[in-house]
Amino acid sequence: MSAVHYKFFSKLNNDIVTFDGLHISLRDLKCRIMGREKLKAANCDLQISNAQTDEEYTDDNALIPKNSSVIVRRIPVGGVKATSKTSVRSRTEPVSGISKAVCKFTVSLFYVWKRRSIFLQV
Protein backbone atom coordinates (compact mmCIF):
# COMPACT_ATOMS: atom_id res chain seq x y z
CA MET A 1 0.00 0.00 0.00
CA SER A 2 1.17 3.48 -0.89
CA ALA A 3 0.09 6.69 0.79
CA VAL A 4 -0.10 10.46 0.30
CA HIS A 5 -0.14 12.66 3.39
CA TYR A 6 -2.47 15.65 3.13
CA LYS A 7 -3.18 18.58 5.39
CA PHE A 8 -5.82 21.24 5.00
CA PHE A 9 -4.28 24.72 5.10
CA SER A 10 -6.53 25.78 7.97
CA LYS A 11 -6.08 22.64 10.10
CA LEU A 12 -3.26 21.47 12.33
CA ASN A 13 -3.42 17.71 11.84
CA ASN A 14 -2.36 15.56 8.87
CA ASP A 15 -4.37 12.75 7.31
CA ILE A 16 -3.45 9.93 4.93
CA VAL A 17 -4.95 8.66 1.68
CA THR A 18 -3.88 5.12 0.81
CA PHE A 19 -3.81 3.63 -2.70
CA ASP A 20 -2.16 0.88 -4.75
CA GLY A 21 0.72 1.74 -7.09
CA LEU A 22 3.60 4.17 -7.32
CA HIS A 23 1.52 7.31 -7.85
CA ILE A 24 -2.05 8.64 -7.83
CA SER A 25 -3.68 11.07 -10.25
CA LEU A 26 -4.78 14.45 -8.98
CA ARG A 27 -8.40 13.65 -9.89
CA ASP A 28 -8.36 10.43 -7.83
CA LEU A 29 -6.66 12.16 -4.89
CA LYS A 30 -9.30 14.92 -4.87
CA CYS A 31 -12.11 12.35 -4.96
CA ARG A 32 -10.63 10.36 -2.09
CA ILE A 33 -10.00 13.45 0.05
CA MET A 34 -13.54 14.72 -0.61
CA GLY A 35 -14.90 11.31 0.35
CA ARG A 36 -12.90 11.13 3.59
CA GLU A 37 -13.82 14.70 4.58
CA LYS A 38 -17.48 14.32 3.48
CA LEU A 39 -17.28 17.26 1.06
CA LYS A 40 -19.58 17.59 -1.93
CA ALA A 41 -18.18 18.38 -5.37
CA ALA A 42 -21.11 20.73 -6.05
CA ASN A 43 -20.15 23.02 -3.15
CA CYS A 44 -16.39 23.39 -3.55
CA ASP A 45 -13.25 22.31 -5.36
CA LEU A 46 -9.86 21.47 -3.91
CA GLN A 47 -6.62 23.29 -4.65
CA ILE A 48 -3.70 20.94 -3.99
CA SER A 49 -0.04 21.94 -3.79
CA ASN A 50 3.16 20.15 -2.84
CA ALA A 51 4.03 20.84 0.81
CA GLN A 52 7.81 20.97 0.22
CA THR A 53 8.00 22.94 -3.04
CA ASP A 54 4.68 24.88 -2.98
CA GLU A 55 4.12 23.69 -6.57
CA GLU A 56 0.41 23.78 -7.31
CA TYR A 57 -1.04 20.79 -9.15
CA THR A 58 -3.48 22.08 -11.77
CA ASP A 59 -3.82 19.24 -14.31
CA ASP A 60 -6.30 16.56 -13.18
CA ASN A 61 -4.14 13.93 -14.90
CA ALA A 62 -0.99 14.98 -13.03
CA LEU A 63 0.60 12.13 -11.11
CA ILE A 64 1.48 12.58 -7.45
CA PRO A 65 4.16 10.14 -6.25
CA LYS A 66 3.64 7.92 -3.22
CA ASN A 67 4.79 9.18 0.18
CA SER A 68 4.27 12.81 -0.89
CA SER A 69 2.91 15.52 1.39
CA VAL A 70 0.38 17.98 0.00
CA ILE A 71 -1.46 21.05 1.26
CA VAL A 72 -5.19 21.21 0.47
CA ARG A 73 -7.31 24.35 0.22
CA ARG A 74 -11.04 24.48 -0.40
CA ILE A 75 -12.03 26.96 -3.11
CA PRO A 76 -15.38 27.84 -4.71
CA VAL A 77 -16.43 25.69 -7.68
CA GLY A 78 -16.04 28.55 -10.17
CA GLY A 79 -12.60 29.46 -8.81
CA VAL A 80 -11.58 32.59 -6.98
CA LYS A 81 -12.87 35.74 -8.63
CA ALA A 82 -11.08 39.06 -8.33
CA THR A 83 -13.32 41.90 -7.25
CA SER A 84 -13.08 45.04 -9.30
CA LYS A 85 -15.69 47.05 -7.43
CA THR A 86 -14.42 50.16 -5.73
CA SER A 87 -16.41 52.54 -3.63
CA VAL A 88 -15.73 56.25 -3.55
CA ARG A 89 -16.95 58.27 -0.61
CA SER A 90 -17.38 61.97 -0.52
CA ARG A 91 -14.90 63.62 1.83
CA THR A 92 -17.06 66.71 2.33
CA GLU A 93 -19.68 64.92 4.44
CA PRO A 94 -19.03 62.76 7.48
CA VAL A 95 -19.61 59.04 6.95
CA SER A 96 -21.95 58.79 9.93
CA GLY A 97 -23.25 60.88 12.81
CA ILE A 98 -20.76 59.28 15.19
CA SER A 99 -17.87 61.47 14.05
CA LYS A 100 -19.70 64.63 15.13
CA ALA A 101 -20.46 63.13 18.54
CA VAL A 102 -16.84 62.06 19.00
CA CYS A 103 -15.65 65.51 18.03
CA LYS A 104 -17.97 67.20 20.56
CA PHE A 105 -16.93 64.74 23.26
CA THR A 106 -13.24 65.41 22.58
CA VAL A 107 -13.76 69.17 22.75
CA SER A 108 -15.65 68.88 26.04
CA LEU A 109 -12.89 66.72 27.53
CA PHE A 110 -10.31 69.24 26.43
CA TYR A 111 -12.33 72.02 28.04
CA VAL A 112 -12.59 70.11 31.35
CA TRP A 113 -8.87 69.35 31.30
CA LYS A 114 -8.05 72.98 30.55
CA ARG A 115 -10.22 74.21 33.46
CA ARG A 116 -8.53 71.76 35.85
CA SER A 117 -5.07 72.90 34.86
CA ILE A 118 -6.09 76.55 35.49
CA PHE A 119 -7.33 75.69 38.99
CA LEU A 120 -4.15 73.77 39.75
CA GLN A 121 -1.94 76.71 38.77
CA VAL A 122 -3.72 79.15 41.11
Side-chain angles (χ1 to χ4, degrees):
M1 279 264 153
S2 302
V4 169
H5 301 269
Y6 72 92
K7 176 186 160 314
F8 275 90
F9 184 75
S10 60
K11 291 187 179 178
L12 297 176
N13 57 343
N14 292 335
D15 289 310
I16 298 173
V17 170
T18 57
F19 58 94
D20 292 324
L22 298 174
H23 46 267
I24 185 170
S25 70
L26 181 62
R27 181 182 303 118
D28 290 340
L29 181 62
K30 283 182 179 181
C31 288
R32 291 187 185 202
I33 291 173
M34 288 182 127
R36 282 185 57 113
E37 301 291 330
K38 296 180 176 89
L39 299 172
K40 295 182 181 178
N43 296 339
C44 64
D45 193 16
L46 298 179
Q47 179 185 28
I48 298 180
S49 59
N50 189 315
Q52 284 79 27
T53 63
D54 287 335
E55 172 192 1
E56 182 181 338
Y57 298 108
T58 55
D59 183 19
D60 280 343
N61 296 321
L63 299 176
I64 300 169
K66 67 178 184 175
N67 300 326
S68 295
S69 295
V70 295
I71 303 292
V72 181
R73 289 184 174 96
R74 288 189 333 191
I75 57 172
V77 174
V80 179
K81 296 179 182 177
T83 59
S84 61
K85 295 181 181 179
T86 57
S87 62
V88 178
R89 294 184 180 177
S90 173
R91 295 193 180 250
T92 58
E93 299 177 17
V95 177
S96 65
I98 296 173
S99 62
K100 288 182 180 179
V102 169
C103 185
K104 288 180 182 178
F105 181 70
T106 307
V107 169
S108 64
L109 279 179
F110 177 73
Y111 179 71
V112 169
W113 178 78
K114 188 74 170 167
R115 289 187 64 203
R116 259 192 206 158
S117 64
I118 292 173
F119 289 126
L120 292 175
Q121 290 178 356
V122 175

